[in-house]
Amino acid sequence: MLLGAALTAFLSVSAQEQPVDYVNPFVGTTNYGTTNPGAVLPQGMMSATPFNVMGSDLNKYDKDKQWWSTPYDVTNKYLTGFSHVNLSGVGCPDMGSLLLMPTTGELNVNYRQYGSEYTDEEATPGYYKNKLSKYNIQCEMTATLHTSRARFTFPAGQSNILLNLGEGLTNESGASMRFVNDCEIEGSKLLGTFCYNPQAVFPIYFVMRIHKTPEKRGYWKKQRPMQGPEAEWDADAGKYKLYTNYGRVMSGDDIGAWFTFDTQANETLEVSIGVSFVSIENARLNLETEQPVGTTFDKLRADARAKWNDDLSRILVEGGTKEQKGVFYTALYHAMIHPNLLQDVNGQYPMMESDSILTTTHNRYTVFSLWDTYRNVHQLMTLVYPERQMDMIRTMMGMYQEHGWFPKWELYGRETLTMEGDPSIPVIVDSWMKGLRDFDINLAYEGMYKSATTPGKDNLMRPDIDEYIKRGYCPMESQYDNSVSHALEYYIADYSLSTLAKALGKKEDAKMFYDRSMGYKHYYCKEFGTLRPILQTGEFYSPFDPLQGANFEPSPGFHEGNSWNYTFYVPHDVKGLAKLMGGQKKFVDKLQMVFDKNYYDPANEPDIAYPYLFSYFKGEEWRTQKLVKELLAKHFTTQPNGLPGNEDTGTMSSWAIFSMMGFYPDCPGVPEYTFTLPTFDKVTIKLDPAYWGADKLVLKKEGGDGYIKEIRLGDKKSSSYRITHENLIKAGEITFVCE
Amino acid sequence: MLLGAALTAFLSVSAQEQPVDYVNPFVGTTNYGTTNPGAVLPQGMMSATPFNVMGSDLNKYDKDKQWWSTPYDVTNKYLTGFSHVNLSGVGCPDMGSLLLMPTTGELNVNYRQYGSEYTDEEATPGYYKNKLSKYNIQCEMTATLHTSRARFTFPAGQSNILLNLGEGLTNESGASMRFVNDCEIEGSKLLGTFCYNPQAVFPIYFVMRIHKTPEKRGYWKKQRPMQGPEAEWDADAGKYKLYTNYGRVMSGDDIGAWFTFDTQANETLEVSIGVSFVSIENARLNLETEQPVGTTFDKLRADARAKWNDDLSRILVEGGTKEQKGVFYTALYHAMIHPNLLQDVNGQYPMMESDSILTTTHNRYTVFSLWDTYRNVHQLMTLVYPERQMDMIRTMMGMYQEHGWFPKWELYGRETLTMEGDPSIPVIVDSWMKGLRDFDINLAYEGMYKSATTPGKDNLMRPDIDEYIKRGYCPMESQYDNSVSHALEYYIADYSLSTLAKALGKKEDAKMFYDRSMGYKHYYCKEFGTLRPILQTGEFYSPFDPLQGANFEPSPGFHEGNSWNYTFYVPHDVKGLAKLMGGQKKFVDKLQMVFDKNYYDPANEPDIAYPYLFSYFKGEEWRTQKLVKELLAKHFTTQPNGLPGNEDTGTMSSWAIFSMMGFYPDCPGVPEYTFTLPTFDKVTIKLDPAYWGADKLVLKKEGGDGYIKEIRLGDKKSSSYRITHENLIKAGEITFVCE
């Protein structure tokens, strides 16, 4: 209570403009940002999102006609409902099911026909609104951690509510449901196959309640086509059949439930949905706990807004433009979508890679896109939301205990094995090094050691580890493998592991893993001055073009990028790399060239820390400041296309957040930051004294609009443009004195 | 206990040949008889039946290529499993799902590929066996009232057990299941749309246990087809996908579960399935009650055989050929398949036309094909199995109380509205008149009165009642309506109702309904000497051909038949009809012509009592005897084509049973029989003294091989070839003295 009171006092801001007011949930909703404007809470399991990616040529982007990974694109026009539980900022299709849609007039359950264009879109944290043009229905959505509430305002006449379980962003199909009574449905739907991993499937359970008894209700199901005389007799063959008189269990690939009402003009109908990944009973418990009898839509909306404002207010910014504040708080908003809660209100959650159910006493998280988020999201969590990062670490520990492996790309209890590397290692080491140590580090080390040493045939994380250990690098296995990318990830993971081993007094391990982490040098090709794939023979791959692989085209040796996007990705040995390249000047010139020639890809992870690497070298720090400022201005706006590319569950936004605050964790696993020019005059980060022994960190900008000429830590001048986490916290107040 | 002991003593037969030994379950399994050789108990809910009607061109009859209403035809060759809970002797597809199939070798879940030819078929009551040619697996099936047991004998190597929930004889689709553990699945599947009634749907619930832990287990599901880049990425698109690592809820249109084993040569695996129409919990309770731990296949098989023998032994026949005994006991076997139990072992059952669950204290029956069975099946039940008929009446009363209507064609709690008329009325009246009165006859009368008087728009049983009441007949409503057939059914129902009204002292009602029942005279057309449809104008329909409608071709005014098949169907006023036709001689000549010219259809219900009508006229009784003997010999054999046509849930067989015993209930609702020449030297019907005050009825044949010259009731000579039910019982012993 004291902390809460302190927090409130501390975070007093102007009554006019609260942090939550600056958030624009439409940012990133096109240009493949893959965020969405749905209603969601920080780290909430539930999101209720407008779904406009199927059913009509009015939509430029159709989930069934191309690779498509988001339920919403702001440039699409045809809405077929609101999807429940969605992924924000990912590159593969999944989730986005339980499609709730209001319509009017004669019942029509074909989404190619019942969808509608819409106007009057509005979205704020925890709230979304639009108006369906075809039906003149106003739709509003809000959410709690595990539940959603819809409020539909209808015109007079027959109104309908549809719940479509046949469609969704997921490529999985199959659902089952039943009417509990006229106003309540319960059921389940299969989700999964994220990034086309066929076995990564899991069920979502739900309970839906409508707050008014319908005139009629029933199911629909797309019928199998029939041949010959059967087709003549079965009027529904191949069509959507309406079940008007049956309310027991209904299962199938393409099923739905419908409700019809006789509404007055401007009558509102509300619909509540609770979900769980454990059971229908838990979905109901979640619903009844978070929406007790009497709860109003407006209260839920206000609660959601307050919760967002509380969380966003952990960082208060002053100065800067409204646009910059919009970018900042929207980024912070996006950084708190995933990972999200997996457990239900009673603590139950699905065991990792198992059909069993377990109970947790801390928050159990899911949606770990670790190849992305190990770079900065967890560093942001660690500093600003350490209680969450601590539970994320505990979650990862739980996954190891349950499944035998730390996560790589975990989704609702499934290891999807998307992307490469061993990214849990730097995440855990980074947090532990910074002081988040309320977990069994020896057990953690055991798990890390396992994935770093188990032979490839039994190694889920590092299937190509055998050659990596033997040779110090991963040779090419096929034309378009990702061998260099794999090895680069292993180097950074092994570097983290070596620092942990050292800290734990395991000197031999520390040396072994350190030696491994230097293996990147094998890939350095003097001829091109870049990293270059190596054949099984030990020779470099030819013909080699370090530019091949731009724009997601296939690239020998590199994943989602080309050699230029990876060559500087040795964050644990920047100086060593520079030496390899011929010294500081050559390194700096080459890195500058990457930017000058536009080889830099701001929209994907491998090179996102590049701008900060200049600051490892005295006198070159201005380049970091110049580039970061330019990149922020160019790629981060409050427009729907205001993200450089795929948000990658907060990674793009975390880059912006750190960059705008004036420091960035450029080497995962190493508890250090590189300074850059802050965007705001003053940034106040509310720290949790239980973790950091201090209650705030203030970053101030003084002087002119030019580059940094001096950095003061408290009242001492900093001798470096890099700083350890410990010193950052200790500083209390950091002042950037600018030219 | 005393009764049981008496029964056993009474029913002692030769050790060599018991009644059960005469039954051949293959009778009726082709020639559209639509029976099947599956394992089933008398009135059992469960049947476990070889399923050979899909998946290969080896099968002449394919459920998906034509109208097809049985899971098995003896002339087909390609077996895709054993279906659980089937209909026997019906004309529309339904049920026949939960397809259990053993295979060997690499797992293949496509039924177009995993099916097999087979040899060594064998079937006895409660038992079926074959050998799968492709796999060298011996399959055996047996059943209890609510459960099945399979025993598969495998060769050495990989063996598989598949449960296919995607297919079945039913046209409905959609199922859901989950692994309870490695050896147990529970789930549900939607069934229904019998005779293409789209709303007559209901779920079946099941629990399946395999008596050995599999090496591996999982699901399959037919995947939706995909387009474009998605199809490239999803290797399973449009195919059967194997789920190898997921055991929670699985739902979809076309799903299944697989188990693999490493079997030794001749190793047997057993599989038990329990079903319920109430819940999964009840399916499990049924399974655990009827197959307690330790129950062996052989015990279940022996119990099933003993139960059948007990029930079949209620009638003992002596004399006659082995073939005739085979026909008789097979007919009696077929007469005890439907109606069958609906309730679970705890008494729960699905309420009629409702999603609710109720509990019964008596046996609750289902599968009432009443347009067929009201003619003779219930009369057979009443006499020989009165405790079952009593519960069938109670069931019908329950349906009225629950749904507001007596059944017409009820299937697992759904009124399918198949065929026409108001057939519950004669069934209930017939039983009550004969003395089965342990139900509320006033409530029954209320229900009958309701369907006989409610205006058409609200009348589920008699939608065209308005004109029927106003005019005394149903005028044609469209070219191929069944108006005359409708009216003929209403006449016989109203006649029954008039006799009941009279018995209840409701004189005015009695007269009203009697008058209605005479309305058939409107249809009599002197020009053709037949019944003839009447137009809305009141004129006869023209051009008229009384032969139009043979072989199920569309027929103006008549359903599944032509005018000749219906003209004599006024069983409650045979003499009146004769008068209309110009007297006894003209009636007899015309009826004889129907047989002589082959207008008589022995394979459908409207005219099946025709042979008995001669015996209403003195001196013409020999025609009945001659025709019945000829028809029995021609149409009823122990061959697979040994039924004249569709068994119609026991109706064809009941015709044979009565006819072979020497008497037939030719007028439903009227407690009388017409005698004919018995097939056997002696028939002993075990009567239940609690119902009939006597413990047996013996029918003996004496004299030569010619026609009956005298009938003795006890020691008195009968003056008639017809006899009331009361006098039949009283007689104790009836002797047919033949020429």
Side-chain angles (χ1 to χ4, degrees):
Chain A
M1 286 304 286
L2 269 175
L3 178 64
L7 199 77
T8 304
F10 178 88
L11 296 172
S12 64
V13 289
S14 78
Q16 291 74 38
E17 299 273 74
Q18 306 238 350
V20 72
D21 295 319
Y22 291 106
V23 177
N24 180 359
F26 289 103
V27 170
T29 61
T30 192
N31 190 34
Y32 303 99
T34 69
T35 62
N36 68 68
V40 64
L41 278 194
Q43 267 73 47
M45 173 189 287
M46 173 59 84
S47 61
T49 297
F51 191 88
N52 69 0
V53 294
M54 70 174 189
S56 170
D57 291 338
L58 289 171
N59 293 333
K60 182 176 172 190
Y61 304 108
D62 187 303
K63 75 177 181 70
D64 296 319
K65 294 181 180 164
Q66 66 215 87
W67 184 297
W68 191 252
S69 63
T70 175
Y72 177 90
D73 192 283
V74 76
T75 67
N76 275 358
K77 297 180 184 312
Y78 184 82
L79 183 113
T80 44
F82 294 87
S83 54
H84 288 76
V85 186
N86 302 276
L87 294 173
S88 172
V90 298
C92 291
D94 212 344
M95 316 302 288
S97 68
L98 311 183
L99 291 166
L100 182 67
M101 179 76 181
T103 68
T104 64
E106 197 184 347
L107 192 61
N108 184 332
V109 300
N110 182 343
Y111 68 85
R112 290 179 182 84
Q113 295 161 8
Y114 71 61
S116 172
E117 295 186 75
Y118 51 93
T119 60
D120 299 8
E121 268 196 304
E122 191 182 316
T124 57
Y127 178 73
Y128 173 86
K129 190 188 89 165
N130 71 17
K131 187 153 201 169
L132 303 183
S133 313
K134 188 194 284 186
Y135 303 118
N136 195 26
I137 300 170
Q138 177 177 280
C139 306
E140 296 171 284
M141 306 298 300
T142 189
T144 70
L145 287 172
H146 302 85
T147 79
S148 71
R149 176 77 76 95
R151 179 164 66 186
F152 302 124
T153 307
F154 287 98
Q158 179 175 335
S159 296
N160 316 298
I161 288 176
L162 312 178
L163 180 69
N164 186 330
L165 300 183
E167 295 295 334
L169 193 59
T170 181
N171 284 320
E172 257 302 341
S173 63
S176 187
M177 66 178 148
R178 74 177 190 96
F179 280 99
V180 177
N181 55 51
D182 284 343
C183 298
E184 181 172 328
I185 318 176
E186 62 179 30
S188 66
K189 167 156 175 53
L190 198 62
L191 302 174
T193 72
F194 185 77
C195 290
Y196 299 93
N197 179 332
Q199 299 303 330
V201 301
F202 49 90
I204 186 171
Y205 300 93
F206 70 93
V207 168
M208 177 174 119
R209 287 180 182 167
I210 297 191
H211 299 226
K212 181 185 178 183
T213 303
E215 301 284 315
K216 294 180 187 172
R217 47 80 168 172
Y219 301 120
W220 77 80
K221 179 163 62 188
K222 185 85 173 282
Q223 303 292 298
R224 299 196 299 190
M226 290 184 171
Q227 306 173 30
E230 290 207 316
E232 289 167 36
W233 277 91
D234 193 322
D236 298 306
K239 298 179 188 162
Y240 290 97
K241 167 175 162 179
L242 292 181
Y243 295 75
T244 57
N245 194 26
Y246 174 74
R248 302 177 73 191
V249 59
M250 172 61 68
S251 307
D253 287 351
D254 196 347
I255 61 174
W258 54 266
F259 304 77
T260 63
F261 302 85
D262 185 15
T263 49
Q264 306 298 309
N266 296 314
E267 182 173 345
T268 60
L269 292 184
E270 299 194 13
V271 183
S272 296
I273 296 180
V275 294
S276 162
F277 292 85
V278 169
S279 66
I280 288 170
E281 292 66 34
N282 279 14
R284 183 173 290 108
L285 182 65
N286 289 341
L287 184 58
E288 291 177 348
T289 303
E290 295 180 359
Q291 294 192 31
V293 174
T295 307
T296 65
F297 183 95
D298 291 330
K299 177 176 190 317
L300 292 172
R301 178 185 174 182
D303 287 352
R305 178 187 166 82
K307 173 63 181 158
W308 271 114
N309 200 53
D310 276 0
D311 280 2
L312 294 167
S313 298
R314 293 241 191 142
I315 307 179
L316 293 181
V317 301
E318 296 169 55
T321 63
K322 190 174 173 185
E323 169 75 5
Q324 288 168 329
K325 285 177 176 163
V327 167
F328 183 83
Y329 282 114
T330 300
L332 197 53
Y333 168 84
H334 280 146
M336 281 188 275
I337 308 289
H338 299 301
N340 56 265
L341 293 190
L342 177 61
Q343 91 274 10
D344 295 318
V345 295
N346 63 4
Q348 290 187 321
Y349 67 95
M351 179 171 161
M352 184 69 185
E353 284 292 337
S354 166
D355 296 334
S356 297
I357 301 305
L358 300 177
T359 301
T360 181
T361 53
H362 59 79
N363 277 335
R364 172 84 174 196
Y365 287 98
T366 184
V367 188
F368 283 87
S369 181
L370 287 162
W371 181 84
D372 302 308
T373 61
Y374 87 97
R375 298 165 202 267
N376 57 30
V377 174
H378 293 286
Q379 289 83 339
L380 179 68
M381 290 291 124
T382 300
L383 180 64
V384 188
Y385 306 93
E387 78 287 1
R388 293 181 205 178
Q389 175 63 13
M390 192 63 250
D391 279 347
M392 288 174 196
I393 299 286
R394 292 183 180 121
T395 295
M396 294 161 81
M397 291 296 292
M399 289 174 184
Y400 169 62
Q401 291 177 279
E402 295 157 20
H403 177 220
W405 300 97
F406 283 111
K408 178 179 280 185
W409 210 128
E410 181 271 351
L411 184 69
Y412 288 93
R414 287 293 183 179
E415 178 49 73
T416 71
L417 294 173
T418 303
M419 300 309 291
E420 59 265 301
D422 208 346
S424 283
I425 293 178
V427 170
I428 296 170
V429 171
D430 194 281
S431 290
W432 190 81
M433 290 292 177
K434 289 172 179 166
L436 267 51
R437 298 190 172 185
D438 189 12
F439 62 102
D440 183 347
I441 191 62
N442 291 309
L443 184 66
Y445 188 80
E446 172 197 295
M448 298 177 192
Y449 188 87
K450 176 183 173 185
S451 73
T453 59
T454 298
K457 70 177 172 52
D458 299 321
N459 196 321
L460 195 71
M461 285 298 110
R462 307 193 192 189
D464 47 1
I465 196 174
D466 299 346
E467 293 292 308
Y468 169 77
I469 290 176
K470 199 170 127 196
R471 306 191 188 205
Y473 61 88
C474 297
M476 285 184 81
E477 293 178 345
S478 61
Q479 174 67 13
Y480 293 118
D481 75 352
N482 305 319
S483 51
V484 188
S485 299
H486 282 213
L488 289 171
E489 296 297 335
Y490 300 156
Y491 298 140
I492 179 75
D494 283 344
Y495 184 81
S496 281
L497 193 44
S498 90
T499 64
L500 179 61
K502 191 174 171 191
L504 296 177
K506 301 172 191 291
K507 287 186 184 173
E508 287 183 20
D509 285 3
K511 180 172 188 315
M512 172 177 76
F513 291 124
Y514 175 81
D515 289 347
R516 279 198 200 173
S517 78
M518 295 298 131
Y520 76 89
K521 295 175 182 175
H522 290 287
Y523 286 115
Y524 187 72
C525 165
K526 284 193 178 168
E527 182 187 352
F528 287 87
T530 65
L531 305 189
R532 180 174 175 183
I534 304 175
L535 296 168
Q536 291 285 340
T537 60
E539 297 169 295
F540 281 125
Y541 167 78
S542 287
F544 176 59
D545 174 5
L547 280 172
Q548 188 178 356
N551 300 317
F552 285 77
E553 69 178 5
S555 171
F558 299 99
H559 196 181
E560 293 188 0
N562 59 25
S563 178
W564 286 117
N565 302 129
Y566 277 94
T567 283
F568 296 88
Y569 191 57
V570 193
H572 55 290
D573 194 33
V574 174
K575 299 230 161 155
L577 178 68
K579 200 170 167 190
L580 211 56
M581 287 179 171
Q584 170 176 340
K585 184 169 186 323
K586 291 203 168 163
F587 178 97
V588 168
D589 287 351
K590 195 183 299 191
L591 187 57
Q592 186 63 50
M593 181 206 72
V594 166
F595 288 96
D596 294 345
K597 292 201 171 172
N598 235 354
Y599 297 169
Y600 175 75
D601 178 3
N604 208 7
E605 278 63 20
D607 61 9
I608 55 171
Y610 278 19
Y612 288 95
L613 303 184
F614 293 108
S615 296
Y616 276 78
F617 304 99
K618 210 156 189 76
E620 307 292 350
E621 299 90 348
W622 64 272
R623 296 183 194 266
T624 295
Q625 297 162 45
K626 178 173 187 289
L627 282 165
V628 168
K629 189 176 178 180
E630 287 172 359
L631 289 166
L632 279 171
K634 182 172 178 189
H635 297 293
F636 292 87
T637 75
T638 58
Q639 296 304 302
N641 64 358
L643 286 177
N646 197 303
E647 162 69 349
D648 288 332
T649 68
T651 308
M652 289 295 131
S653 286
S654 294
W655 188 93
I657 293 161
F658 276 119
S659 296
M660 294 178 97
M661 291 197 298
F663 60 108
Y664 188 85
D666 53 89
C667 183
V670 171
E672 296 177 4
Y673 307 91
T674 295
F675 287 122
T676 191
L677 192 64
T679 298
F680 303 102
D681 297 339
K682 185 178 176 187
V683 174
T684 306
I685 303 173
K686 164 69 188 164
L687 297 178
D688 186 339
Y691 286 88
W692 305 128
D695 66 1
K696 64 179 171 181
L697 171 63
V698 176
L699 301 111
K700 288 164 63 179
K701 186 165 65 171
E702 288 183 359
D705 288 336
Y707 298 123
I708 298 167
K709 61 181 182 187
E710 183 183 314
I711 299 173
R712 288 204 303 268
L713 309 177
D715 48 11
K716 289 179 198 158
K717 183 177 167 185
S718 170
S719 61
S720 168
Y721 278 72
R722 303 195 76 243
I723 187 169
T724 65
H725 177 78
E726 189 182 359
N727 287 336
L728 184 89
I729 299 295
K730 270 190 194 159
E733 183 168 297
I734 296 174
T735 309
F736 299 86
V737 184
C738 300
E739 289 170 353
Chain B
M1 285 304 286
L2 269 176
L3 178 65
L7 200 77
T8 305
F10 179 87
L11 296 172
S12 64
V13 288
S14 79
Q16 291 73 39
E17 299 272 74
Q18 306 239 347
V20 72
D21 295 317
Y22 290 107
V23 176
N24 181 359
F26 289 103
V27 170
T29 61
T30 191
N31 190 35
Y32 303 99
T34 70
T35 62
N36 67 69
V40 64
L41 279 193
Q43 265 77 46
M45 174 190 285
M46 173 60 84
S47 61
T49 297
F51 190 87
N52 70 359
V53 294
M54 71 174 187
S56 169
D57 290 338
L58 289 171
N59 293 332
K60 182 176 172 191
Y61 305 107
D62 188 302
K63 75 176 182 69
D64 296 320
K65 294 181 180 164
Q66 66 215 88
W67 185 297
W68 190 253
S69 63
T70 176
Y72 177 90
D73 192 284
V74 76
T75 66
N76 275 358
K77 296 180 184 314
Y78 184 82
L79 183 114
T80 45
F82 294 86
S83 54
H84 288 76
V85 186
N86 302 276
L87 294 172
S88 172
V90 299
C92 291
D94 212 342
M95 318 299 289
S97 68
L98 312 182
L99 292 165
L100 181 68
M101 179 76 181
T103 68
T104 65
E106 196 184 347
L107 192 61
N108 185 333
V109 300
N110 182 343
Y111 68 85
R112 290 180 182 83
Q113 294 161 8
Y114 70 60
S116 172
E117 295 185 75
Y118 49 93
T119 59
D120 299 7
E121 269 195 303
E122 190 181 315
T124 56
Y127 178 74
Y128 173 87
K129 192 188 88 165
N130 70 18
K131 188 154 203 171
L132 301 183
S133 312
K134 187 194 284 186
Y135 303 118
N136 194 28
I137 300 169
Q138 178 177 279
C139 306
E140 297 170 282
M141 306 298 298
T142 188
T144 69
L145 286 172
H146 301 86
T147 80
S148 71
R149 176 77 76 94
R151 179 163 66 185
F152 301 125
T153 307
F154 286 99
Q158 180 175 333
S159 296
N160 315 299
I161 288 175
L162 312 177
L163 180 69
N164 186 329
L165 300 184
E167 294 294 336
L169 192 59
T170 180
N171 284 319
E172 258 300 341
S173 63
S176 187
M177 65 179 150
R178 74 177 191 97
F179 280 98
V180 178
N181 56 51
D182 284 343
C183 299
E184 181 172 326
I185 318 175
E186 62 179 29
S188 66
K189 168 156 176 52
L190 197 62
L191 303 175
T193 72
F194 185 76
C195 290
Y196 298 92
N197 179 333
Q199 300 304 330
V201 301
F202 49 90
I204 186 171
Y205 300 93
F206 70 92
V207 168
M208 178 174 116
R209 287 179 181 168
I210 297 190
H211 299 225
K212 182 186 178 182
T213 302
E215 301 285 316
K216 295 179 186 170
R217 49 78 168 172
Y219 300 120
W220 77 79
K221 180 164 62 189
K222 184 84 173 282
Q223 302 293 297
R224 298 195 300 189
M226 290 183 170
Q227 307 172 32
E230 290 208 316
E232 288 167 35
W233 277 90
D234 193 322
D236 298 306
K239 299 179 189 162
Y240 289 98
K241 167 174 162 181
L242 291 181
Y243 294 76
T244 58
N245 195 26
Y246 174 73
R248 300 177 74 192
V249 60
M250 171 61 69
S251 308
D253 286 352
D254 195 349
I255 61 175
W258 54 265
F259 304 77
T260 63
F261 302 85
D262 185 14
T263 48
Q264 306 299 309
N266 296 315
E267 183 174 346
T268 60
L269 292 184
E270 298 193 16
V271 183
S272 297
I273 296 180
V275 294
S276 162
F277 291 85
V278 169
S279 67
I280 287 169
E281 293 66 34
N282 278 14
R284 183 173 290 109
L285 182 65
N286 289 341
L287 183 58
E288 292 177 347
T289 304
E290 295 180 359
Q291 295 191 31
V293 173
T295 306
T296 65
F297 183 94
D298 291 330
K299 179 178 189 312
L300 292 172
R301 178 185 175 184
D303 287 352
R305 177 186 165 81
K307 174 62 181 159
W308 271 115
N309 200 53
D310 276 358
D311 278 2
L312 293 167
S313 297
R314 294 241 191 141
I315 306 179
L316 294 181
V317 300
E318 296 168 55
T321 63
K322 190 176 174 185
E323 169 75 7
Q324 286 168 330
K325 285 176 177 166
V327 167
F328 183 82
Y329 281 114
T330 300
L332 196 53
Y333 168 84
H334 280 145
M336 281 188 277
I337 308 288
H338 298 303
N340 56 265
L341 293 190
L342 176 61
Q343 90 275 9
D344 295 318
V345 295
N346 62 4
Q348 290 187 321
Y349 68 95
M351 179 172 160
M352 184 70 186
E353 283 293 337
S354 167
D355 296 333
S356 298
I357 302 303
L358 299 177
T359 301
T360 181
T361 52
H362 59 78
N363 278 334
R364 173 83 174 196
Y365 286 97
T366 185
V367 188
F368 283 87
S369 181
L370 287 163
W371 181 83
D372 302 308
T373 60
Y374 87 97
R375 298 164 204 267
N376 58 31
V377 173
H378 294 285
Q379 289 82 339
L380 178 67
M381 290 291 124
T382 301
L383 179 64
V384 188
Y385 307 92
E387 79 286 1
R388 295 182 203 177
Q389 176 62 13
M390 193 63 249
D391 279 348
M392 288 175 196
I393 299 287
R394 290 182 181 121
T395 296
M396 293 161 83
M397 291 295 293
M399 289 173 183
Y400 169 63
Q401 289 176 280
E402 295 157 20
H403 176 222
W405 300 97
F406 284 111
K408 179 179 279 185
W409 209 128
E410 181 272 352
L411 184 69
Y412 288 93
R414 286 294 183 178
E415 178 50 71
T416 71
L417 294 173
T418 303
M419 301 306 292
E420 58 266 301
D422 208 345
S424 283
I425 293 179
V427 169
I428 296 170
V429 171
D430 192 282
S431 290
W432 191 81
M433 289 293 176
K434 287 172 179 167
L436 268 52
R437 297 190 173 185
D438 189 12
F439 63 101
D440 183 347
I441 191 63
N442 291 310
L443 184 66
Y445 188 81
E446 173 197 296
M448 298 177 192
Y449 187 87
K450 177 184 174 186
S451 72
T453 58
T454 298
K457 71 179 172 52
D458 299 320
N459 196 322
L460 196 70
M461 286 295 113
R462 308 193 193 189
D464 48 2
I465 196 173
D466 298 345
E467 294 291 310
Y468 169 76
I469 291 176
K470 199 170 126 195
R471 304 192 190 204
Y473 62 89
C474 296
M476 283 184 83
E477 292 179 346
S478 61
Q479 174 68 13
Y480 294 119
D481 76 352
N482 305 318
S483 51
V484 187
S485 298
H486 282 212
L488 289 172
E489 296 296 337
Y490 299 156
Y491 297 139
I492 178 77
D494 283 344
Y495 184 80
S496 281
L497 194 43
S498 88
T499 64
L500 178 60
K502 190 175 171 190
L504 297 177
K506 299 171 192 291
K507 286 184 184 174
E508 285 182 23
D509 285 3
K511 180 172 188 315
M512 172 178 74
F513 292 124
Y514 175 81
D515 288 348
R516 280 198 199 173
S517 77
M518 294 299 129
Y520 75 89
K521 294 174 183 176
H522 291 287
Y523 287 115
Y524 187 72
C525 166
K526 284 193 179 169
E527 182 187 349
F528 286 88
T530 66
L531 304 189
R532 182 174 174 182
I534 305 175
L535 297 168
Q536 292 284 341
T537 60
E539 296 167 297
F540 281 125
Y541 168 78
S542 288
F544 176 60
D545 173 5
L547 281 174
Q548 189 179 355
N551 301 319
F552 284 78
E553 69 178 4
S555 170
F558 299 99
H559 196 181
E560 295 190 357
N562 59 24
S563 178
W564 285 117
N565 304 130
Y566 277 94
T567 283
F568 295 89
Y569 192 56
V570 192
H572 55 290
D573 194 31
V574 174
K575 298 229 163 159
L577 178 66
K579 199 171 165 188
L580 211 55
M581 288 179 170
Q584 170 177 340
K585 184 168 187 320
K586 290 201 168 162
F587 178 97
V588 168
D589 287 350
K590 195 183 296 191
L591 186 57
Q592 186 62 49
M593 182 207 71
V594 166
F595 288 96
D596 294 344
K597 292 201 170 170
N598 236 354
Y599 296 167
Y600 176 75
D601 178 3
N604 209 7
E605 277 64 20
D607 61 10
I608 53 170
Y610 278 18
Y612 288 95
L613 302 184
F614 293 108
S615 296
Y616 277 78
F617 302 99
K618 208 155 191 82
E620 307 292 349
E621 299 91 348
W622 65 273
R623 296 180 194 268
T624 294
Q625 297 163 44
K626 177 173 186 291
L627 282 164
V628 169
K629 188 176 178 180
E630 285 171 2
L631 290 165
L632 279 171
K634 182 173 178 189
H635 296 293
F636 292 88
T637 74
T638 59
Q639 297 303 304
N641 64 358
L643 285 177
N646 197 302
E647 163 70 347
D648 288 331
T649 70
T651 308
M652 289 295 131
S653 287
S654 293
W655 188 93
I657 293 161
F658 275 118
S659 295
M660 293 177 98
M661 292 196 297
F663 60 108
Y664 188 84
D666 55 89
C667 183
V670 172
E672 296 177 5
Y673 306 91
T674 294
F675 287 123
T676 191
L677 194 62
T679 297
F680 302 103
D681 296 339
K682 186 178 175 187
V683 174
T684 305
I685 303 173
K686 164 69 190 165
L687 296 179
D688 185 338
Y691 287 88
W692 304 129
D695 66 1
K696 65 180 171 179
L697 171 63
V698 177
L699 301 112
K700 287 163 67 179
K701 185 165 68 170
E702 289 181 359
D705 287 338
Y707 299 124
I708 299 167
K709 61 181 181 187
E710 183 183 315
I711 299 172
R712 287 204 303 268
L713 310 177
D715 50 10
K716 289 179 199 160
K717 184 177 168 185
S718 170
S719 61
S720 168
Y721 278 72
R722 303 196 75 243
I723 187 170
T724 65
H725 177 78
E726 187 181 1
N727 287 336
L728 184 90
I729 300 294
K730 269 191 195 159
E733 182 169 296
I734 296 174
T735 310
F736 298 87
V737 184
C738 299
E739 288 169 354

